[in-house]
Amino acid sequence: MLLAAAEAALRAGSLLQELFAQPHQIRHKSVIDLVTEADLAAEELILEILHHKSPGTKILSEESLATYDAIPDEPVWIVDPLDGTTNFAHNFPWFAVSIALYAEGSSQVGVIYNPIQQELFCATLAGGAWLNDAPIRVSEISLLQNALVATGFPYDVRKRSDSILAMLKTVLTHSQGVRRPGAAALDLAYLACARLDAFWEVGLKPWDAAAGYLLVEEAGGTLSSFTGSPFSPFIPELLASNALLHEELTALLREFSTAAR
Ligand code: IPD
Ligand code: CA
Ligand code: CA
């Protein structure tokens, strides 16, 4: 399954890189939520490869197979064919493919590929996390004032900008810096390999986090809701850190939690 996911991510990543150099066809799913020809082409290729490599396994995928309502009770591929669509549409070279195999209440395999930097992040449950051919670990920064933290903004940001800006202000004024790179899968992959020390976002979908959260856990990090309750890619509230920063961050963010306590 890891090899199938990696092959699909690498081939879709090459396709995205090729399409990145050409003019884009952009359609609006909502005012600021876009889909391009590349999202659709990468998805088609990934689904074809996964159907071929693991016939019969269900697929949840952002653009064409996006219906879900509960935590799945049978194995399912969870696919984001292009994470960072807004970046892609603006020719900002920061995006990735994310593929996870989810079964028995947790991701079993997670693969994230950044085709511009040619970086392939992989993890398997209890098997560790890797960047290309090297094992990765989260950072050892233990104070938030020394930490570089990432976040992202959901597409309904205009409806809840007060709490999103309040969280941003809180973390910005307690950390060394905050980044908003624009691809949640890469935010998690960067946390897993110690280039970031923590990440939070509200409103993520399963395909944004299903591969990245396994990378973070397998690299020694921790994920939860803002209150510290257990994380799942099926709940729309994510706090991830190198574990050492988790207590400080939950203390700051718990008042913004909308997850069940
Ligand atoms: C988005 C990106 C972005 C995050 C949004 C996601 P998409 O995914 O991961 O960083 O802030 O919440 O929806 O739409 O580019 O696949
Ligand atoms: Ca996404
Ligand atoms: Ca996407």
Side-chain angles (χ1 to χ4, degrees):
M1 292 306 214
L2 173 64
L3 290 178
E7 181 182 335
L10 287 166
R11 285 181 51 195
S14 302
L15 177 61
L16 290 178
Q17 194 172 17
E18 207 180 297
L19 295 173
F20 187 61
Q22 297 169 21
H24 305 313
Q25 293 150 32
I26 298 165
R27 183 170 62 75
H28 286 248
K29 294 198 258 188
S30 70
V31 181
I32 59 166
D33 188 0
L34 311 177
V35 60
T36 71
E37 81 294 347
D39 298 72
L40 304 177
E43 181 172 78
E44 196 181 329
L45 179 59
I46 294 166
L47 299 194
E48 192 185 302
I49 295 168
L50 296 180
H51 280 310
H52 177 70
K53 297 275 176 187
S54 70
T57 308
K58 288 199 160 177
I59 303 182
L60 172 63
S61 184
E62 182 177 9
E63 306 304 340
S64 68
L65 296 169
T67 311
Y68 67 95
D69 41 28
I71 297 180
D73 47 17
E74 41 183 332
V76 59
W77 290 110
I78 304 183
V79 177
D80 190 339
L82 169 45
D83 185 47
T85 296
T86 307
N87 287 346
F88 189 95
H90 287 266
N91 299 317
F92 188 102
W94 193 249
F95 52 86
V97 179
S98 173
I99 302 176
L101 179 72
Y102 190 92
E104 294 170 11
S106 125
S107 289
Q108 309 285 320
V109 163
V111 170
I112 294 170
Y113 182 50
N114 174 341
I116 301 291
Q117 302 207 312
Q118 304 202 335
E119 289 191 326
L120 179 69
F121 297 87
C122 294
T124 58
L125 188 62
W130 300 74
L131 164 50
N132 292 336
D133 51 6
I136 51 177
R137 273 301 300 161
V138 291
S139 72
E140 288 181 5
I141 297 221
S142 58
L143 284 177
L144 192 53
Q145 64 181 18
N146 299 328
L148 186 61
V149 185
T151 190
F153 308 126
Y155 290 118
D156 65 354
V157 63
R158 294 170 189 210
K159 286 191 201 143
R160 40 177 165 167
S161 56
D162 286 347
S163 67
I164 286 170
L165 290 175
M167 284 189 274
L168 180 59
K169 181 176 179 184
T170 302
V171 181
L172 193 55
T173 51
H174 287 83
S175 63
Q176 199 165 78
V178 173
R179 298 289 180 267
R180 195 287 191 241
L186 288 176
D187 295 332
L188 290 163
Y190 266 45
L191 168 56
C193 70
R195 294 173 185 164
L196 289 168
D197 307 302
F199 168 64
W200 87 96
E201 187 162 346
V202 290
L204 288 174
K205 300 290 190 332
W207 43 81
D208 297 312
Y213 102 81
L214 183 64
L215 275 161
V216 171
E217 279 190 349
E218 288 297 322
T222 298
L223 296 106
S224 70
S225 73
F226 296 161
T227 63
S229 64
F231 174 76
S232 152
F234 291 87
I235 60 158
E237 185 176 295
L238 185 161
L239 172 62
S241 78
N242 65 359
L244 302 173
L245 297 167
H246 222 75
E247 210 179 306
E248 226 182 320
L249 280 161
T250 47
L252 291 175
L253 293 179
R254 70 168 52 247
E255 67 173 292
F256 301 102
S257 180
T258 55
R261 285 153 214 238

